[in-house]
Amino acid sequence: MPKVLHIGPCDSPGGMANVMRTLAEYPPEGWEAELLSSHVVGSLWAKWRAYRRARATLTRMLRDETQRPDIIHLHTAADWSWRRKSSFLSYAQKQDIPCVVHIHSGKFDSWLGSPLSKRSRSVQRQVNRKGTRVVVLTEDWKTRLEANLGELNWIPNPLDPKIKYSDRERDRHHLLIMGRDDPVKGHSFAIRVAKLLKNTYPQLQLTMTGVEASNHDWIHARGWVTEEEKLDLLQSASVLLLPSTYEGQPMVVIEALGSGLPVLAHEHLHSLPSEVYTAESSAEAWCSQLSKMFETPHKVDSSSSKHDIREVQHLWYKTYSSFLQE
């Protein structure tokens, strides 16, 4: 049975890790999958050690015919994430192992710059080598990045089958933001919006993951939650907030819609599902939209099948199998 090895931040909190674990748990029919963690949360030294351990593990695997994968599937964001993955990619290419470069970042285009930039040309040279394919998350990202990288494929992120629609009664005025404690995720903006909105809705509650502390008893800082706790929040909150600066295809949105939870996001974000509400990038605009969503609640219709695990498995089956036919 052919084997694919997923390399990336599978043991770190976040959407990319969720995607990796779901793809490894539900590989295409006739395939097996393994995970190799290349990242840890911590200091630069800790991250470097995690990268070096992963490189050493990959070297051992490629030298052992019983462990050698048929395909290496690299999961990458931009900047330093790419720099680490490009090292794995170079080594795998030298060993004649087919590779998938799976771009998750919502800022890969701006990080690359123009198609003629030194960075774009460098990345394009590496990913256009024989036996390497680049996959992005949406058709929009395919269009945006092909000028920089050449021909691309797109495959949507899978929804974990354990995330299911719930008919349970939701909290009435309960906002939720999920993501790592990073300025680009917009926790401070969500707090500003909630404080303004609380003047109109005194019982308002805000729950934040990724953040460890709060100065208000109605703002609940939950840190990193378990999968069971995450599912409970998705099935009980009123609205998921997505005030991110940029996103590729945020898993939390796919999971929220799959749970029947409405989502409000910045209107400048690309490739969001059509069911997502958007607002201009001001706290006042967000409060206005949230008031409308509170006053006229409705059930989310997330009937789209493109994130269904069986559909995603089929697309990856075609991608992986295309290597074996060469």
Side-chain angles (χ1 to χ4, degrees):
M1 183 179 293
K3 178 172 68 176
V4 58
L5 176 66
H6 294 271
I7 302 178
C10 56
D11 291 335
S12 300
M16 198 188 305
N18 288 341
V19 172
M20 291 183 66
R21 290 193 293 265
T22 301
L23 291 178
E25 186 176 356
Y26 301 95
E29 184 177 357
W31 286 75
E32 60 179 330
E34 292 184 10
L35 292 166
L36 177 58
S37 176
S38 62
H39 179 271
V40 296
V41 176
S43 66
L44 290 176
W45 174 241
K47 290 180 172 64
W48 173 253
R49 289 177 60 196
Y51 158 74
R52 294 299 300 175
R53 284 195 299 270
R55 272 297 304 262
T57 300
L58 179 62
T59 300
R60 289 195 301 271
M61 293 179 73
L62 296 191
R63 289 175 177 171
D64 184 343
E65 288 299 325
T66 65
Q67 298 186 54
R68 187 180 175 95
D70 296 276
I71 292 175
I72 289 177
H73 187 149
L74 296 160
H75 298 260
T76 187
D79 202 10
W80 284 105
S81 176
W82 164 255
R83 296 175 198 274
R84 290 190 295 269
K85 302 315 180 321
S86 67
S87 174
F88 290 109
L89 178 59
S90 293
Y91 181 66
Q93 288 170 331
K94 290 176 183 177
Q95 303 299 314
D96 293 322
I97 301 292
C99 295
V100 170
V101 176
H102 195 171
I103 298 176
H104 294 255
S105 172
K107 65 171 185 177
F108 213 85
D109 55 343
S110 59
W111 177 73
L112 286 172
S114 76
L116 297 178
S117 71
K118 182 179 179 180
R119 183 173 290 158
S120 284
R121 285 181 284 138
S122 173
V123 175
Q124 185 181 74
R125 279 195 301 272
Q126 188 169 14
V127 301
N128 284 346
R129 292 173 186 166
K130 182 181 179 181
T132 301
R133 303 214 198 323
V134 180
V135 174
V136 294
L137 304 177
T138 67
E139 190 170 12
D140 179 54
W141 279 113
K142 170 180 163 68
T143 301
R144 294 168 68 84
L145 287 173
E146 280 193 327
N148 297 79
L149 302 179
E151 184 178 355
L152 308 175
N153 295 324
W154 73 276
I155 298 178
N157 281 333
L159 177 64
D160 189 327
K162 294 186 285 291
I163 303 291
K164 297 183 182 296
Y165 180 82
S166 173
D167 283 325
R168 66 185 279 189
E169 184 176 356
R170 293 188 173 277
D171 301 335
R172 185 160 175 75
H173 302 133
H174 182 183
L175 304 179
L176 174 64
I177 177 171
M178 306 187 78
R180 65 183 185 274
D181 187 9
D182 186 301
V184 303
K185 293 300 182 182
H187 287 76
S188 60
F189 181 83
I191 292 173
R192 189 158 76 251
V193 168
K195 286 181 176 179
L196 284 174
L197 200 61
K198 196 168 177 65
N199 294 324
T200 305
Y201 301 97
Q203 302 305 312
L204 184 79
Q205 303 286 307
L206 171 64
T207 297
M208 305 185 296
T209 68
V211 179
E212 301 287 347
S214 167
N215 295 323
H216 305 277
D217 59 5
W218 58 276
I219 299 179
H220 312 290
R222 297 283 298 273
W224 288 113
V225 296
T226 65
E227 290 300 303
E228 292 75 16
E229 291 170 329
K230 179 179 73 174
L231 182 57
D232 180 66
L233 288 170
L234 292 174
Q235 293 181 346
S236 61
S238 308
V239 180
L240 175 78
L241 307 182
L242 189 74
S244 305
T245 305
Y246 52 80
E247 290 282 357
Q249 188 181 61
M251 274 307 303
V252 68
V253 169
I254 298 170
E255 293 170 342
L257 296 176
S259 303
L261 174 62
V263 179
L264 176 61
H266 279 317
E267 65 179 11
H268 67 256
L269 294 177
H270 300 285
S271 303
L272 293 175
S274 59
E275 300 92 341
V276 173
Y277 290 88
T278 61
E280 296 177 359
S281 301
S282 72
E284 292 75 16
W286 276 57
C287 286
S288 175
Q289 183 60 60
L290 285 167
S291 293
K292 295 175 185 177
M293 296 170 75
F294 282 165
E295 296 305 320
T296 312
H298 79 287
K299 294 183 178 180
V300 173
D301 177 14
S302 57
S303 57
S304 173
S305 64
K306 68 179 181 179
H307 300 291
D308 182 271
I309 189 62
R310 291 165 295 184
E311 176 65 22
V312 176
Q313 282 175 320
H314 176 65
L315 294 173
W316 281 116
Y317 175 84
K318 292 198 298 183
T319 298
Y320 294 157
S321 298
S322 68
F323 286 108
L324 304 184
Q325 296 166 2
E326 292 182 344

